[in-house]
């Protein structure tokens, strides 16, 4: 069923001003979704994403909000729903790192990462899901990480946030499956974006069986599959996109 406001399904992608989020917007645009491009600070990046969405044959708009801020997010989701009638696909992609050995980790770095990746899931998904439940349709995909499955030295905060995201997603998936709403997770390995610009890429490549870094589009295409009817019997799953790391 399509959205009554403009005849297209609507996708909200958080953290879509660059990197994986930007690529997801383009893939979902190709699949016919109207795209709501969320960003926190990079307005030019978000505008570029919207331009790429239009080049891919769809349309959309930009909405600035901080997913870690409950009130700001609730108001933004409310406005998006009023404007569009529904959010048919939600992609929880916004995320940051604040790496350091756990023993040296300041509390603010722990909180910052948890607040965006894990509490951000709560803040965005809850109001979106309320509407999906009323409409008895919709799909949610959240971007976790190989670190959330395996842990990673220097990333206790990030691994905890991403493992929490996986647990929350599987639980919510079980709660809403009977209503026709699917909830899944994509767990990327090392992907070529700003997030890894300071990572020791050459060293890390040696532990990737495919011996290369992934591209944002390689994650985005899996998200597109999960948001499509081709994935109609897939829910509560974690799909790794990591060049065969395990
Ligand atoms: P990126 O290039 O650094 O982009 C991060 C995006 O998140 C930006 O659009 C940023 O918006 C947004 N963002 C950050 N804090 C936000 C907030 N509080 N509210 C709303 N948006 C916020 O990162 P990326 O590599 O594309 O990562 C995307 C997702 O994939 C993240 O969840 C990350 O953990 C995950 N991931 C990445 C890799 C990798 O190797 N790159 C691997 C595994 C998982 P602004 O620019 O507007 O601030």
């Amino acid at each position: 069923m399509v959205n009554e406001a403009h005849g297209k399904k609507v996708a909200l992608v958080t953290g879509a001003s660059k990197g994986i989020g930007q690529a997801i917007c383009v893939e979902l645009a190709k699949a016919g979704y109207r795209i709501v491009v969320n960003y926190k600070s990079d307005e030019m990046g978000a505008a570029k994403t919207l331009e790429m969405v239009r080049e891919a044959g769809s349309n959309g708009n930009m909405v600035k909000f901080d997913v870690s801020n409950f009130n700001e997010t609730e108001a933004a989701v409310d406005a998006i729903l009023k404007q569009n009638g529904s959010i048919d696909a939600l992609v929880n992609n916004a995320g940051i790192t604040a790496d350091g050995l756990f023993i040296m980790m300041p509390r603010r770095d722990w909180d910052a990462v948890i607040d965006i990746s894990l509490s951000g899931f709560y803040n965005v998904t809850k109001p979106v899901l309320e509407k999906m439940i009323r409409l008895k349709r919709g799909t949610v995909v959240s971007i976790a990480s190989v670190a959330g499955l395996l842990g990673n030295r220097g990333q206790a905060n990030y691994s905890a946030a991403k493992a929490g995201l996986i647990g929350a997603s599987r639980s919510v998936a079980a709660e809403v499956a009977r209503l026709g709403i699917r909830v899944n997770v994509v767990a990327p390995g090392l992907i070529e974006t700003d997030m890894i610009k300071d990572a020791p890429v050459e060293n890390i490549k040696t532990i990737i069986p495919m011996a290369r870094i992934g591209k944002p589009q390689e994650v985005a295409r899996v998200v597109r599959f999960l948001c499509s009817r081709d994935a109609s019997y897939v829910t509560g799953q974690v799909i790794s996109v990591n060049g065969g790391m395990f």
Side-chain angles (χ1 to χ4, degrees), residues 50-67:
L50 197 53
E51 193 185 314
M52 291 165 78
V53 161
R54 290 182 178 135
E55 282 164 11
S58 188
N59 211 335
N61 61 295
M62 293 154 52
V63 181
K64 178 178 171 153
F65 62 91
D66 177 347
V67 299

Side-chain angles (χ1 to χ4, degrees), residues 35-56:
I35 310 293
V36 181
V37 177
N38 160 252
Y39 67 103
K40 184 190 161 202
S41 51
D42 183 0
E43 190 175 345
M44 273 175 64
K48 172 74 187 159
T49 303
L50 197 53
E51 193 185 314
M52 291 165 78
V53 161
R54 290 182 178 135
E55 282 164 11

Side-chain angles (χ1 to χ4, degrees), residues 14-21 38-43 65-68 92-97 116-117 143-146 158 162 187-196:
T14 69
S17 61
K18 53 173 75 73
I20 294 171
N38 160 252
Y39 67 103
K40 184 190 161 202
S41 51
D42 183 0
E43 190 175 345
F65 62 91
D66 177 347
V67 299
S68 69
N92 288 302
N93 167 77
I96 61 160
T97 52
I116 294 173
S117 279
I143 309 301
S145 166
V146 64
Y158 186 74
K162 297 299 193 182
L190 208 66
I191 307 298
E192 200 179 314
T193 70
D194 285 359
M195 186 173 272
I196 64 150

